[in-house]
Amino acid sequence: MTVRAARPEDTEAVVAIRNHAVEHSTALWTQVPHSPAEGQAWFADHLERGSALVAEVAGEIAGYASYAPWRALEGYRHTVEDSVYVRDGHQGLGIGGSLLTALIATARATGQHSMIAAIESGNSTSIRLHEHRGFDHVGTLKEAGTKFGRWFDLTLMQLRLGG
């Protein structure tokens, strides 16, 4: 496995991983997958910021990680929210952990101060992934979102990066 900075030619594979999560999981609280044009615009923002990484296994994209601004207001400009997704069938191989470790290093190198993880509270795998990299549980929002006709709690975790 190789973790590297994402490139424009990774867009289709990354959007396919994201759309699979939209359609089949509660990790993203939307049921509307990106169209090719929407996916390209979404990923282009990450590429421009330098805030996206991919994991390659045997020459194919097996996962991605990115960070984006936590909130749009200027006072939050040093706080980012992470996203880590692994291609279906590639979970449990250490890909998510490698991506998150590299993403944290990237955020530190760009002077970010704090990284937030907003995780569906039943996603114990993602919660453990973040705990193992030093994130602290800072709160739970009860019934913060809905998908597939059910309400979900949102676990908030934070890692202070310095900077």
Side-chain angles (χ1 to χ4, degrees):
M1 173 185 48
T2 303
V3 175
R4 62 168 172 79
R7 300 187 292 245
E9 59 267 25
D10 301 325
T11 302
E12 186 177 336
V14 168
V15 172
I17 293 168
R18 183 194 181 279
N19 282 346
H20 186 272
V22 167
E23 294 170 345
H24 300 284
S25 80
T26 58
L28 285 159
W29 292 352
T30 179
Q31 290 180 249
V32 181
H34 279 324
S35 69
E38 290 166 334
Q40 185 172 9
W42 164 78
F43 200 55
D45 286 343
H46 288 293
L47 293 172
E48 185 177 317
R49 269 193 307 274
S51 63
L53 305 172
V54 296
E56 282 186 316
V57 174
E60 70 178 23
I61 303 301
Y64 78 90
S66 61
Y67 65 80
W70 168 243
R71 301 272 176 132
L73 298 176
E74 158 194 343
Y76 296 105
R77 70 187 172 278
H78 301 292
T79 299
V80 294
E81 180 179 359
D82 76 271
S83 295
V84 179
Y85 291 91
V86 176
R87 185 175 172 179
D88 192 43
H90 289 77
Q91 293 87 357
L93 303 174
I95 295 168
S98 294
L99 281 165
L100 183 54
T101 298
L103 190 69
I104 291 166
T106 299
R108 280 192 171 117
T110 61
Q112 301 304 320
H113 182 74
S114 182
M115 184 174 281
I116 304 295
I119 305 167
E120 189 270 304
S121 294
N123 189 343
S124 59
T125 300
S126 185
I127 290 170
R128 279 193 311 276
L129 174 75
H130 286 82
E131 286 172 344
H132 290 154
R133 275 140 194 95
F135 282 73
D136 294 315
H137 181 270
V138 294
T140 300
L141 304 173
K142 300 293 185 184
E143 296 183 355
T146 184
K147 186 170 182 180
F148 304 136
R150 297 175 26 218
W151 285 100
F152 293 97
D153 295 348
L154 186 67
T155 295
L156 296 176
M157 300 182 79
Q158 180 182 24
L159 177 67
R160 290 186 214 161
L161 302 168

